[in-house]
Amino acid sequence: MAGQRNQGLQRWGWLLAGAVLASAATMVAPDLLARVAGNAATPRAVTPRGELQPDEKATIALFERSRDAVVFITTRERVRDLWTRNVMTVPKGSGSGFLWDESGYVVTNYHVIEGASEATVRLADGTDYRSTLVGASPEHDIAVLRIKLGDKRLAPIPLGSSGDLRVGQKVFAIGNPFGLDWTLTSGIVSALDRSLGEDDGRAIHHLIQTDAAINPGNSGGPLLDSAGRLIGINTMIYSPSGASAGIGFAVPADTVNRVVPELIRNGRYERPNLGLELDERINARLARMFDMRGVFVVKVERGSAAEVAGLRGVGFTANGAVVIGDVITAVDGKPIESVDKLLAMLDDRRGAAQVQLTVMRQGKSVVVPVRTR
């Protein structure tokens, strides 16, 4: 019993000592805590960063030099109220664009304004302008709008060339992703001469592939090289989620420089017409039927360059069997397998006096020169 009492007294002694120490800490701690809190509440001294790196300075200068020529485009469409039958306009979508010259021509993607009844262009200073549609080329996903700038003069982005681009070189995209004004992203050229199909069956060719972030709203904005020159129009991304996954595409500047002036001049872009009647669905059917690759000439228009060159279309025997005519397998030595690819290659040779078509004729390969104009 005495031992238990001693143990109990020891425990109470320890508890009493702890209470005394806690009381002493309570008296000392406020002053100590005040000093610690005072030090933490004082702003820390800022460490100077020094000079920006040369590449940072170059990127900043590129953005500040180019952003005033980049525009934000919002579109509206007309809809009819099912109950009142009244026609009203509602928001449709948005995208980016850029000034082509000082007179107010604005270049963007065709899909940005497709189906819209009106489009508003906002400049970098926040000014909104109602625009008019000058012309569009769905095959190239290019459209041209016009705004009245009045006395305002803004320098367009210098035009570069896409023909000498190299995989790995730096590129910069300016646009309005998700409606966020004038955003800059950077990356490299990931690949060249890509072809991608669209929902309506068309394909866009010679696209530049880049890993610069291109999100919804970037469409129609410029893709620039490290010198700040226009090398493409940001047009689409490849992403299951709809957000940038590091695979974006741009219409090359060489195509833009060929198409835009004609849209301004004529309101439309016409590809070279050789006088051939072609059809992708018929072509696919004949390719399976005869186990051949190429573009089957369905019909040759009378008086056309194709008729003058002696090209032959599909015929029929007396009992109705199909007799194939010429099957185009190459243009100027470059092989083709689809109608769309043939039209794109003829488009590339727009302005040339003639093209050399390689055709399969009665089992033999022959080269047929055809005048394009």
Side-chain angles (χ1 to χ4, degrees):
M1 294 294 293
Q4 292 178 350
R5 282 198 299 270
N6 289 335
Q7 291 178 358
L9 289 172
Q10 288 177 357
R11 285 198 296 269
W12 281 108
W14 283 112
L15 290 173
L16 181 60
V20 171
L21 289 173
S23 176
T26 302
M27 291 185 290
V28 176
D31 182 57
L32 178 62
L33 291 174
R35 290 198 303 272
V36 173
N39 292 336
T42 303
R44 294 183 59 193
V46 175
T47 302
R49 77 166 312 282
E51 286 290 318
L52 293 171
Q53 295 299 314
D55 63 327
E56 293 177 305
K57 292 181 178 179
T59 300
I60 293 169
L62 178 147
F63 177 69
E64 293 178 348
R65 189 170 62 245
S66 306
R67 70 183 296 269
D68 286 349
V70 181
V71 304
F72 180 45
I73 300 173
T74 54
T75 60
R76 299 178 68 86
E77 63 179 333
R78 291 190 181 93
V79 298
R80 185 184 296 276
D81 189 288
L82 295 177
W83 298 102
T84 65
R85 310 301 294 172
N86 292 332
V87 176
M88 54 187 175
T89 61
V90 297
K92 185 179 188 300
S94 63
S96 302
F98 57 92
L99 295 172
W100 180 251
D101 59 16
E102 294 183 352
S103 61
Y105 288 106
V106 174
V107 176
T108 186
N109 285 141
Y110 170 72
H111 76 259
V112 169
I113 56 92
E114 183 179 10
S117 59
E118 59 185 68
T120 300
V121 174
R122 176 174 295 175
L123 300 183
D125 63 5
T127 308
D128 289 338
Y129 293 86
R130 291 283 297 273
S131 68
T132 56
L133 177 62
V134 175
S137 175
E139 295 82 5
H140 303 95
D141 199 18
I142 297 174
V144 179
L145 307 175
R146 181 80 185 274
I147 59 175
K148 295 181 179 179
L149 289 173
D151 295 332
K152 185 180 293 186
R153 287 292 178 265
L154 296 173
I157 296 172
L159 180 66
S161 172
S162 53
D164 56 358
L165 291 178
R166 303 286 298 276
V167 173
Q169 75 177 76
K170 289 183 178 180
V171 291
F172 302 86
I174 301 179
N176 299 270
F178 304 109
L180 303 173
D181 294 348
W182 289 270
T183 299
L184 174 70
T185 57
S186 65
I188 62 170
V189 174
S190 304
L192 295 167
D193 202 20
R194 294 299 201 203
S195 297
L196 288 178
E198 295 190 304
D199 293 339
D200 59 4
R202 293 192 305 262
I204 304 176
H205 300 277
H206 307 311
L207 294 173
I208 303 165
Q209 181 180 321
T210 176
D211 68 349
I214 298 174
N215 287 294
N218 267 118
S219 293
L223 186 69
L224 311 175
D225 64 10
S226 58
R229 304 180 309 158
L230 177 74
I231 57 170
I233 305 176
N234 302 316
T235 186
M236 66 180 73
I237 58 174
Y238 180 78
S239 169
S241 66
S244 178
I247 303 178
F249 300 93
V251 178
D254 292 351
T255 300
V256 177
N257 200 28
R258 183 174 70 247
V259 174
V260 168
E262 184 153 338
L263 293 180
I264 293 174
R265 186 167 53 248
N266 301 321
R268 64 184 185 279
Y269 181 87
E270 293 185 357
R271 284 174 160 170
N273 183 10
L274 303 183
L276 297 172
E277 185 175 314
L278 309 169
D279 186 285
E280 195 72 78
R281 288 175 298 180
I282 295 175
N283 200 75
R285 189 178 304 170
L286 291 174
R288 290 192 300 268
M289 184 184 300
F290 293 97
D291 192 23
M292 295 179 64
R293 292 186 176 183
V295 175
F296 291 76
V297 177
V298 178
K299 188 177 179 180
V300 177
E301 297 176 5
R302 289 185 177 181
S304 66
E307 185 184 52
V308 172
L311 290 173
R312 308 167 186 176
V314 173
F316 299 90
T317 63
N319 60 4
V322 177
V323 178
I324 61 172
D326 290 334
V327 181
I328 304 172
T329 59
V331 177
D332 288 342
K334 295 185 177 181
I336 57 168
E337 295 184 1
S338 68
V339 172
D340 189 76
K341 186 66 174 178
L342 170 62
L343 296 177
M345 294 185 72
L346 291 176
D347 189 18
D348 293 341
R349 286 149 182 77
R350 199 169 188 273
Q354 69 175 19
V355 293
Q356 304 287 331
L357 300 183
T358 302
V359 303
M360 287 297 296
R361 178 179 294 169
Q362 296 179 346
K364 296 181 179 180
S365 180
V366 297
V367 177
V368 181
V370 184
R371 295 187 61 84
T372 58
R373 55 190 174 95

